[in-house]
């Protein structure tokens, strides 16, 4: 995959006639990520995706933190209704959101949930839905460590 920063630098070089790219990043916030467990949240990958835009980064964190409980509630509803198709869809949505956000543990658990729902194993899916909720709680504790 193309990294946004690499693409921006290549475009900058082309527009400036091939010289050194103009500095377009403010990486000053990166030092504040030392305490974040990167196996749970790849904070630097997300910061890179937003070109080190601290305001946008914070906005994404807030949106993710506010949106995920709705997805978890939809998981529980799908399980209650024994709706495998809805369960697959919501698990897939969580997997994609978590992957784009850099929530590695949550993404992996959502992938397992998606696979269990595809195979029709509702018992395993119910257990994994609980694990998704637990991974989100763990992630929230990591998000508190971020000070921008």
């Amino acid at each position: 995959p193309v990294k946004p920063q690499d693409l921006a630098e290549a475009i900058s070089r082309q527009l400036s006639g091939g010289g050194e790219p103009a500095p377009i990043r403010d990486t000053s916030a990166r030092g504040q990520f030392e305490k974040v467990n990167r196996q749970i949240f790849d904070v630097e990958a997300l910061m890179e995706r937003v070109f080190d835009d601290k305001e946008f980064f914070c906005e994404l964190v807030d949106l993710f933190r506010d949106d995920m409980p709705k997805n978890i509630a939809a998981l529980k509803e799908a399980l209650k209704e024994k709706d495998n198709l809805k369960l697959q869809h919501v698990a897939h949505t969580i997997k994609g959101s978590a992957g784009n956000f850099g929530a590695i543990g949550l993404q992996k658990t959502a992938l397992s949930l998606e696979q269990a729902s595809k195979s029709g194993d509702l018992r395993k899916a119910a257990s994994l839905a609980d694990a998704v909720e637990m991974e989100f709680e763990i992630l929230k504790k990591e998000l508190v460590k971020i000070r921008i």
Side-chain angles (χ1 to χ4, degrees):
V2 175
K3 291 183 179 177
Q5 183 61 36
D6 293 343
L7 179 60
E9 287 173 0
I11 291 170
S12 178
R13 277 193 305 276
Q14 291 300 314
L15 292 175
S16 67
E20 287 297 312
I24 56 173
R25 295 169 56 167
D26 172 13
T27 60
S28 61
R30 299 240 177 152
Q32 305 196 15
F33 301 151
E34 299 297 320
K35 296 179 182 177
V36 176
N37 183 335
R38 283 166 176 69
Q39 293 181 349
I40 297 168
F41 179 38
D42 189 349
V43 64
E44 294 214 3
L46 180 58
M47 186 57 97
E48 185 176 302
R49 281 187 196 101
V50 299
F51 295 98
D52 294 290
D53 183 328
K54 297 173 198 171
E55 186 177 321
F56 187 44
F57 177 89
C58 290
E59 195 175 318
L60 285 178
V61 168
D62 289 343
L63 285 169
F64 188 85
R65 191 179 5 225
D66 293 345
D67 227 28
M68 193 52 60
K70 297 170 194 167
N71 288 322
I72 291 170
L75 280 180
K76 291 178 180 181
E77 183 180 320
L79 280 166
K80 184 178 176 184
E81 296 170 355
K82 296 181 172 38
D83 186 340
N84 266 339
L85 191 58
K86 182 177 181 180
L87 190 58
Q88 286 175 42
H89 175 73
V90 177
H92 182 80
T93 299
I94 292 172
K95 178 186 72 174
S97 295
N100 286 322
F101 189 71
I104 298 164
L106 182 58
Q107 180 187 26
K108 289 178 182 177
T109 306
L111 170 62
S112 296
L113 173 56
E114 183 181 19
Q115 291 168 338
S117 62
K118 281 182 181 177
S119 71
D121 189 345
L122 283 177
R123 188 179 328 200
K124 185 174 182 180
S127 174
L128 287 165
D130 289 340
V132 163
E133 188 169 16
M134 185 175 67
E135 286 288 342
F136 179 60
E137 292 302 317
I138 292 168
L139 175 64
K140 287 194 305 188
K141 289 177 183 173
E142 292 302 308
L143 295 175
V144 169
K145 297 176 184 178
I146 299 170
R147 302 278 187 257
I148 296 181

